């Protein structure tokens, strides 16, 4: 008997329908075709044991299974459950009348239990597009799949439940997710708050500007000045994610299996990889490509602590994703693209010892050591960082002050107001969402300077020996400062403040 069961494969952050054709005929053997990897080929051992332990068995006949389309590689153990159900239906141990309406995915344990899989959300989205009624999958993945409206999602714990469901002897509990309630979670971001930060008013102002315009920022200061503490609080002042952003982010986290027992990822991600990270782990890739840290930080923050300690190669491969807001991984037979629109927050010591800017320190390095240290960060990478801010140690008087600082919620209100101005400004350009993404043409249109602002900027570039790459960055930051003040035109005060945040562009910064 020939039976078709339906599953799905995940490619990048999208899914493809996989038709599993199972035929039981005369003879003895188990033949699995359709470009399966080793994990799929080994499924017959898991299936045979699981069926035996739950009162069923593999038929002692010739089993031929085709996974179509045959030119798409099938990876992982998530096909165990549909393969097992297909074998039971083809051998007439269970009824097959309802199988055509459902996508089925899950890894089998030897006792018949069902383990979680990766990519449940992309699979659910594609299942709805393909016209399926429901999706049967492990209980741990049910919440993320149930985000998709108009698709019936059933979470199961063991294969016996699945068999009884298709036999019609039990009704599975429908998993329902209230997306509005999920979105309320992002309004209660209380893990890290700027009210905990004593002093550092200039740095907090700079981070507010970064959040308002989506600008990349680098914090430069000695150990213990609070760089990491400040960076961890940046997500608390970013605008709430839209539904589209939340779905995009959840899809990426679903592909790598980081959304178990969770619905929508509604809080902007904060990723902080260690400086020993490899190029592939940072950007993505591998034999079977997976998203890297820059994609897991999509719509959120990527924090690179001690930037010069990262491998030069790993930093350089980030240059194109920072510009294009996506990363493309090419192989001989296929190309995968992952979204990677994130805010880069980097921190570094001003010197190898960390105390270069402290006049009282005796640990100051030589000019050669400084050049080697700062030379680890290339000019093209710095070119993609809009804000450079020096973080000084907090004086004792400010540390001992018990008066609470301004809260993240208060700062976030100003950031949200500035982002609304940008949404109106770029409403006709879907590729630009905030000021940091402006093209050269948009900078000319939206950052027009009067004679006083032009004269000030020219004077600053001459006197402070600012590099040419600083010009566009200053205009973008000045535009954001004007938005925070609810002013339509960029004036000299906005230019003057923006110039302050270009420390690393000044010749002679190393002393």
């Amino acid at each position: 008997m020939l039976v078709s069961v339906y599953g799905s494969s995940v490619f990048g952050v999208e899914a493809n329908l996989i038709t599993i054709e199972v035929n039981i005929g005369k003879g003895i053997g188990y033949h699995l075709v359709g470009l399966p990897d080793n994990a799929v080929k080994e499924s017959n051992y898991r299936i045979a044991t699981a069926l035996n332990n739950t009162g069923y068995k593999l038929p002692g006949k010739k089993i031929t299974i085709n996974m179509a389309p045959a030119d798409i590689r099938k990876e992982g153990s998530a096909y165990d459950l549909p393969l097992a159900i297909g074998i039971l239906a083809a051998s007439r141990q269970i009824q097959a009348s309802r199988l055509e309406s459902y996508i089925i995915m899950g890894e089998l344990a030897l006792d018949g239990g069902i383990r979680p899989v990766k990519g449940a959300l992309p699979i659910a989205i594609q299942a709805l597009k393909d016209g399926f009624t429901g999706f049967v999958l492990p209980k741990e993945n049910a919440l993320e799949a149930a985000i998709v409206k108009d698709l019936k999602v059933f979470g199961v714990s063991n294969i016996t439940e699945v068999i009884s469901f298709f036999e019609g002897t039990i009704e599975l509990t429908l998993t329902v997710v209230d997306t509005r309630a999920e979105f309320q979670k992002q309004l209660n971001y209380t893990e890290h708050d700027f009210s905990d930060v004593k002093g550092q008013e200039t740095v907090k102002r700079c981070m507010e500007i970064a959040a308002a315009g989506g600008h990349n920022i680098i914090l430069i200061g000695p150990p213990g000045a609070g760089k990491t503490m400040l960076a961890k609080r940046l997500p608390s002042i970013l605008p709430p994610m839209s539904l589209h952003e939340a779905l995009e982010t959840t899809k990426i986290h679903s592909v790598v299996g980081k959304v178990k027992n969770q619905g929508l990822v509604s809080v902007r991600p904060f990723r902080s990889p260690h400086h020993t990270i490899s190029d592939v782990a940072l950007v993505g890739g591998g034999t079977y490509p997976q998203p890297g840290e820059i994609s897991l930080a999509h719509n959120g923050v990527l924090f690179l602590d001690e930037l010069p300690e990262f491998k030069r190669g790993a930093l350089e491969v980030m240059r194109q994703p920072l510009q294009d807001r996506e990363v493309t991984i090419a192989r001989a037979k296929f190309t995968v693209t992952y979204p990677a629109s994130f805010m880069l927050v980097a921190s570094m010591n001003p010197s190898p010892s960390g105390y270069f800017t402290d006049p009282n320190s005796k640990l100051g390095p030589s000019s050669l050591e400084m050049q080697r240290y700062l030379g680890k960060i290339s000019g093209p990478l710095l070119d993609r960082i809009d804000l450079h801010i020096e973080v000084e140690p907090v004086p004792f008087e400010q540390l001992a002050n018990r008066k609470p600082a301004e809260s993240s919620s208060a700062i976030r209100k100003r950031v949200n107001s500035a982002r609304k101005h940008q949404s109106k400004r770029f409403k006709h350009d879907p590729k630009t969402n905030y000021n940091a993404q402006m093209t050269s043409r948009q900078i000319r249109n939206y950052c027009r300077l009067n004679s006083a602002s032009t004269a000030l900027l020219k004077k600053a570039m001459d006197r402070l020996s600012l590099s040419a790459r600083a010009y566009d960055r200053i205009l973008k930051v000045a535009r954001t400062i004007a938005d925070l003040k609810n002013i339509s035109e960029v004036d000299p005060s906005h230019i003057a403040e923006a110039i302050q945040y270009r420390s690393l562009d000044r010749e002679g910064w190393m002393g």
Side-chain angles (χ1 to χ4, degrees), residues 287-310:
T287 305
Y288 305 127
Q290 289 286 299
E293 288 290 334
I294 65 172
S295 293
L296 291 173
H298 182 60
N299 291 320
V301 175
L302 177 69
F303 177 47
L304 301 184
D305 198 7
E306 304 299 339
L307 187 66
E309 301 302 325
F310 282 78

Side-chain angles (χ1 to χ4, degrees), residues 317-365:
V317 294
M318 281 206 316
R319 284 161 49 180
Q320 186 175 358
L322 278 169
Q323 191 74 26
D324 300 338
R325 306 197 299 277
E326 64 181 20
V327 56
T328 300
I329 300 164
R331 294 291 181 268
K333 296 183 179 180
F334 59 86
T335 300
V336 180
T337 298
Y338 294 111
S341 180
F342 59 91
M343 279 184 63
L344 174 64
V345 180
S347 74
M348 60 178 284
N349 293 327
S351 69
S353 66
Y355 297 95
F356 173 65
T357 57
D358 186 352
N360 299 317
S361 173
K362 298 180 181 180
L363 301 176

Side-chain angles (χ1 to χ4, degrees), residues 25 28 43 56 60 75 96 146 157 221 234 302 324 386 413 451 463:
I28 297 176
S43 63
Y56 296 87
E75 303 169 8
S157 301
L234 182 59
L302 177 69
D324 300 338
D386 298 346
K413 288 180 181 178
S451 57
R463 284 197 174 184

Side-chain angles (χ1 to χ4, degrees), residues 195-216:
S195 61
D196 303 325
V197 181
K198 302 291 185 182
Q200 304 291 14
E201 298 304 323
T202 302
V203 184
K204 286 191 282 188
R205 166 65 175 171
C206 187
M207 299 199 79
E208 178 181 336
I209 294 169
H215 302 286
N216 300 324

Side-chain angles (χ1 to χ4, degrees), residues 439-458:
T439 63
S440 297
R441 179 177 295 179
Q442 290 171 329
I443 291 173
R444 291 195 299 270
N445 290 338
Y446 302 123
C447 304
R448 295 176 180 174
L449 305 181
N450 56 33
S451 57
S453 297
T454 303
L456 175 61
L457 183 53
K458 182 180 184 302

